[in-house]
Amino acid sequence: MKQENLCINEMNLNFLSKSANESFARATISAFIAQLDPTIDEITDIKTAISEAVTNCITHAYKSEIGVIYINCKIFENGKILIKIRDKGIGIKDIAQAMEPLFTTGGSERAGLGFAVMKSFMDKLRVSSKVNKGTTVLMEKSIIRRNITSVK
Amino acid sequence: MGINLEFFDNKLTAKISGEIDHHSAADFRQQIDNFINKKKPEEIILDFNEVSFMDTSGIGFIMGRFKTAYNLGIKLKVINIPKKLERLVKLSGIKNLGILE
């Protein structure tokens, strides 16, 4: 394995699909990735994408029950950040339709832009889902390394 | 973090501070809509100066208030959107509503 692709740290976070946990999730992940010394803009992009993914779990995947949301986050030597957000909720029947900007089943207070934001604010987005089994959102973003001394 | 409502000269100014997400937006929506129904203002100003973070729930919040105001014949504008929210605002296309100042 090439040196710059080494995973230097990893965390797992499991919590209930309560809306109060939306801020908890994005604050926790941004505290973790702070080790890579990202810029404020990079942190904002990542926080926004996490907030969208977690909100989807709460308002769609577990819309009629409280379930567990699983986040796994890995950071790499070269500044790459991998975030996996998984639920065991109702799943998505038509992923392409769900990812279309402005499409929403969430009612008039939802903009239908969650996936569009994740796609635009992160470098890569992959969504896989099985009806009644759950959904996994995998997001990747590389940040520019300026200081690596904070991680051993 | 919260929403501060000022009513003067039939004008409602809602100053929002802190983070707007799906959780906090529900509370902001309820407070402002209750006020609108009670006082029937002529104009609503949403002041975003103190908003430190928002996701698309903030966009949904603006769109929802726009619809409410439009249906009731109330003028609505959104002011002082911080620079750091510009990327999201641009992507959302809400600039086309003509309510941002």
Side-chain angles (χ1 to χ4, degrees), chain A residues 54-72:
Chain A
V54 170
T55 302
N56 276 351
C57 296
I58 293 167
T59 58
H60 298 293
Y62 296 123
K63 67 177 164 197
S64 49
E65 58 174 337
I66 295 288
V68 180
I69 298 169
Y70 307 83
I71 300 185
N72 170 267

Side-chain angles (χ1 to χ4, degrees), chain A residues 108-111, chain B residues 29 32-33 36 46 57-71 76 94 97 99:
Chain A
S108 68
E109 291 289 328
R110 304 300 313 161
Chain B
R29 181 186 70 225
I32 194 166
D33 286 3
I36 293 169
L46 304 176
S57 305
I59 301 296
F61 171 77
I62 294 173
M63 283 164 50
R65 304 296 68 66
F66 174 75
K67 282 179 206 160
T68 305
Y70 184 83
N71 289 336
L76 176 102
I94 54 165
L97 296 177
I99 54 172

Side-chain angles (χ1 to χ4, degrees), chain A residues 1-8 36 75-81 142-143 145 148:
Chain A
M1 189 186 268
K2 274 192 287 179
Q3 176 72 18
E4 69 260 31
N5 289 333
L6 270 181
C7 175
I8 49 176
L36 290 174
I75 56 176
F76 294 81
E77 186 76 56
N78 63 353
K80 188 170 89 175
I81 300 164
S142 288
I143 63 163
R145 298 310 310 274
I148 55 166

Side-chain angles (χ1 to χ4, degrees), chain A residues 8 20 32 39 44 62 70 72 74 80 96 104 108 111-113 130:
Chain A
I8 49 176
F32 180 72
T39 63
T44 302
Y62 296 123
Y70 307 83
N72 170 267
K74 284 181 190 158
K80 188 170 89 175
T104 183
S108 68
L113 292 169
K130 265 198 181 128

Side-chain angles (χ1 to χ4, degrees), chain B:
Chain B
M1 174 161 155
I3 185 164
N4 178 30
L5 303 174
E6 283 168 20
F7 189 56
F8 178 72
D9 214 10
N10 256 342
K11 198 190 274 185
L12 170 65
T13 304
K15 289 185 178 162
I16 300 157
S17 62
E19 305 193 325
I20 308 180
D21 60 13
H22 155 255
H23 181 71
S24 64
D27 175 50
F28 299 158
R29 181 186 70 225
Q30 200 181 2
Q31 287 199 47
I32 194 166
D33 286 3
N34 280 347
F35 197 96
I36 293 169
N37 289 330
K38 237 188 328 201
K39 300 276 187 181
K40 307 264 187 295
E42 279 170 16
E43 187 177 358
I44 301 166
I45 298 162
L46 304 176
D47 188 343
F48 272 56
N49 195 41
E50 298 295 318
V51 175
S52 56
F53 169 87
M54 82 175 195
D55 62 18
T56 60
S57 305
I59 301 296
F61 171 77
I62 294 173
M63 283 164 50
R65 304 296 68 66
F66 174 75
K67 282 179 206 160
T68 305
Y70 184 83
N71 289 336
L72 295 169
I74 301 169
K75 206 175 140 193
L76 176 102
K77 57 184 181 187
V78 184
I79 62 167
N80 297 330
I81 293 187
K83 240 195 154 68
K84 60 185 156 201
L85 303 182
E86 245 169 33
R87 196 170 173 202
L88 179 70
V89 168
K90 206 170 169 190
L91 184 137
S92 74
I94 54 165
K95 277 186 175 161
N96 298 329
L97 296 177
I99 54 172
L100 305 187
E101 274 183 17

